[in-house]
Amino acid sequence: MHARTLLIALTLTAAASAQQSDWAHLNSSGHLIYKTTPHGDHIADFSYAGYQGGGVALPTAPVGDTLLPSGADDTHALQSELDHTAQLAAKAHHPIALLLAEGVFHLSKTINLSASNVVLRGSGKTKTILQLTGAPHMGIHIGPGTEPPAETDDFAPSKPEAPPAPSRLSTTLANTYIPSGTLTVPVTSAAGFAPGDTIELDHPITPAYVTFMGMNLPNRDGKPEHWIGNHITVERTIASISGNTLTLTVPLTDDYDPQYGGGPQTTVRKITPPTRLSQVAVESLSITAPSVKITISAVEDAWLRDLHLEDTINDIAVQSQGRRITIDHVDILQRIPIQSSAKNFGFSLAGTQTLVMHSSLTGDSIFFAATQAREQGPNVLLFCTFTGDQSIEPHQRWGTGFLVDNVNVHGGAINLLNRGTMGSGHGWAIGWGVVWNSTADTFIIQNPPGAINWAIGVTGKHLGRPMPISGAGYKGRPDLPEGLYDSPNHPVQPTSLYLQQLKDRLGPAAVKAIGY
């Protein structure tokens, strides 16, 4: 190649590599600037996802006890040692680890981490193996009690949603549009509220909203269609107050429109937050057996690290009261064909502020990762790899604030879409979601009414699809509106949205603290 031609080629390559998105681009100082909609909505700051709200290194707890495998059923011995570790941690007021020696531990029942500051640690993911035996059962439950609360994707009107807990202090949103991504919430009166208060925003689901979203669907195989229920609630904490405006510690990932249940129809009440465990973890071991999983229920500031799960089903489930959780270097291998028509999940995210990073799943007929019903983020997949014939696909009933960042899917798809009457009537599964610099064989990215799903810097084939309706198929109906594709088949800068947002909010030390 001629020298001048080479210089031009190098210049073009450098310019191309610096391509950016208008929706989140770097200014001259190296900080992100966000494009907004006419209403003020913008890509949310996802950096609040993860242990202690992001940017904090996972601790290494000192060892309190060590347990060796017996060669027989180790269930009772392991649970007893965990309970003893909990006693040590309660006295020490900091995390204490139970170290499992190398070898195979046989477990015939669920192991419960039901106290704060307890870490279950193996001697390495290839050295300590938890082999589940007997009838299929949950592998590990992390949370209060010995059984997690049941969570289902079915919404039955014969079993109405529980009314919100009474509050002595409440107000409503001001009669104005509140955009997705904001930290500031104007209310009719902030009297009595204070920084540090935990609040709940209770957004009623009105008939007008259901119609606007196109979710007044026909019957589902003769069953009534319900989609989202009666209300969506979100828990937040007040950081500061100025006049009648509350500033939150974590942004909202949905919008609140006075035309559709926002404004004065949305109640803002002070609440006592749910009782949650904290500083609990499982790390450095393998779990093998069919039909088991790890469930994280009412837990905050917890982590799963350096794990290998093999031939399990519904592997990692973060339930609705879980928050500020990091899942780091967790690898799932599914070799047993799953026969049921309902697909299982590798990483099921029903909580908020969950960060899944440097993790993987290999297997067919299983959703790689999904959000669940009515949960507001931020939730993040970061530098993960998935291989198989299924998809990353938010599952049901209007989750919001989901980031797929530098994720590679081999053989499958990344879908942010309307699931229509699929399942029990999942409808619009996700809004205000972002796929950033990721690859997949195919993408279905659709735009909900009044919201956006972004696909920025993604590489793969874009597909369209009508909303699925039982018995109607897809033919003869138009595809739903496509989401916002920006810089297709060409990655953008910054390389990682999450890491740049973390750097902007907390500085380079926070990025380094989580291993980048």
Side-chain angles (χ1 to χ4, degrees):
M1 181 182 291
H2 190 276
R4 189 173 186 277
T5 305
L6 176 61
L7 178 61
I8 293 172
L10 290 174
T11 302
L12 291 174
T13 301
S17 66
Q19 187 165 330
Q20 297 194 62
S21 169
D22 287 342
W23 289 97
H25 60 276
L26 296 169
N27 64 10
S28 58
S29 300
H31 293 86
L32 283 169
I33 301 295
Y34 299 95
K35 179 180 177 179
T36 64
T37 69
H39 287 301
D41 309 285
H42 59 83
I43 289 175
D45 186 344
F46 290 93
S47 71
Y48 295 86
Y51 174 78
Q52 291 198 355
V56 178
L58 300 180
T60 300
V63 174
D65 290 307
T66 300
L67 182 66
L68 279 66
S70 67
D73 189 343
D74 296 292
T75 307
H76 178 72
L78 178 48
Q79 188 64 63
S80 295
E81 286 296 331
L82 278 174
D83 294 343
H84 182 249
T85 302
Q87 295 173 6
L88 297 177
K91 294 178 181 178
H93 303 291
H94 63 72
I96 299 290
L98 169 62
L99 177 63
L100 303 182
E102 295 184 24
V104 178
F105 291 79
H106 299 278
L107 304 175
S108 60
K109 295 181 180 179
T110 300
I111 295 299
N112 293 287
L113 277 71
S114 53
S116 295
N117 291 318
V118 176
V119 176
L120 177 61
R121 179 186 301 153
S123 296
K125 67 165 64 174
T126 62
K127 296 178 180 179
T128 300
I129 299 171
L130 305 186
Q131 176 66 60
L132 276 68
T133 61
H137 61 276
M138 185 181 302
I140 298 174
H141 167 229
I142 305 173
T146 57
E147 291 292 337
E151 295 203 355
T152 176
D153 69 355
D154 287 319
F155 176 80
S158 60
K159 297 180 180 179
E161 297 168 278
S167 172
R168 288 192 294 264
L169 178 61
S170 67
T171 185
T172 64
L173 295 181
N175 190 24
T176 186
Y177 182 94
I178 296 177
S180 174
T182 189
L183 281 165
T184 57
V185 178
V187 295
T188 55
S189 173
F193 291 92
D197 284 349
T198 300
I199 60 171
E200 180 181 75
L201 284 73
D202 185 350
H203 177 204
I205 304 304
T206 64
Y209 178 70
V210 174
T211 300
F212 172 69
M213 295 297 290
M215 290 290 95
N216 47 343
L217 300 176
N219 288 350
R220 173 177 49 88
D221 296 333
K223 303 172 185 176
E225 196 62 53
H226 308 294
W227 187 43
I228 205 169
N230 299 324
H231 59 93
I232 297 176
T233 60
V234 59
E235 178 187 332
R236 287 293 188 263
T237 301
I238 299 174
S240 62
I241 300 175
S242 177
N244 287 324
T245 297
L246 313 179
T247 297
L248 308 177
T249 59
V250 178
L252 297 174
T253 57
D254 202 357
D255 65 277
Y256 292 78
D257 189 334
Q259 296 184 84
Y260 305 115
Q265 296 181 80
T266 293
T267 301
V268 180
R269 59 176 63 89
K270 179 179 177 179
I271 64 168
T272 299
T275 299
R276 294 182 172 101
L277 304 186
S278 65
Q279 306 297 331
V280 288
V282 180
E283 53 188 32
S284 300
L285 53 81
S286 292
I287 303 176
T288 63
S291 301
V292 298
K293 61 182 176 180
I294 298 175
T295 297
I296 303 172
S297 53
V299 173
E300 63 185 4
D301 297 328
W303 66 96
L304 304 176
R305 174 171 54 184
D306 193 33
L307 302 179
H308 176 79
L309 280 66
E310 189 167 318
D311 295 335
T312 56
I313 295 176
N314 284 335
D315 303 277
I316 307 291
V318 179
Q319 296 195 330
S320 58
Q321 289 189 358
R323 66 176 188 173
R324 298 199 304 258
I325 294 163
T326 291
I327 299 171
D328 182 17
H329 284 88
V330 173
D331 300 315
I332 299 170
L333 175 61
Q334 178 57 257
R335 298 173 301 180
I336 299 175
I338 297 173
Q339 303 298 331
S340 66
S341 58
K343 301 295 188 295
N344 295 287
F345 303 100
F347 298 91
S348 174
L349 309 180
T352 186
Q353 293 178 261
T354 298
L355 169 64
V356 182
M357 64 180 186
H358 285 303
S359 296
S360 70
L361 187 153
T362 300
D364 292 331
S365 298
I366 181 170
F367 286 113
F368 304 128
T371 59
Q372 299 296 339
R374 299 179 288 269
E375 289 305 321
Q376 291 205 14
N379 290 305
V380 178
L381 303 179
L382 178 66
F383 291 106
C384 295
T385 301
F386 302 106
T387 303
D389 63 6
Q390 291 301 307
S391 59
I392 297 170
E393 187 168 315
H395 195 55
Q396 53 167 322
R397 294 188 174 81
W398 201 242
T400 58
F402 181 48
L403 171 63
V404 180
D405 187 343
N406 282 269
V407 171
N408 296 317
V409 175
H410 305 287
I414 299 176
N415 299 329
L416 307 182
L417 46 64
N418 186 331
R419 288 174 52 82
T421 60
M422 295 174 71
S424 54
H426 296 162
W428 277 111
I430 189 71
W432 308 112
V434 181
V435 186
W436 184 275
N437 282 353
S438 295
T439 67
D441 285 28
T442 61
F443 291 84
I444 302 176
I445 309 294
Q446 298 176 333
N447 251 22
I452 299 174
N453 285 319
W454 290 269
I456 299 175
V458 304
T459 299
K461 184 178 181 180
H462 307 170
L463 301 178
R465 197 177 77 174
M467 178 173 63
I469 296 177
S470 298
Y474 296 111
K475 293 182 179 180
R477 292 183 292 115
D479 291 344
L480 288 171
E482 193 170 60
L484 199 155
Y485 284 93
D486 193 2
S487 189
N489 298 312
H490 198 296
V492 298
Q493 293 294 325
T495 300
S496 167
L497 177 63
Y498 176 86
L499 294 180
Q500 183 63 47
Q501 289 179 324
L502 187 62
K503 179 181 177 182
D504 285 358
R505 183 168 66 92
L506 297 176
V511 177
K512 184 177 180 181
I514 65 169
Y516 295 94

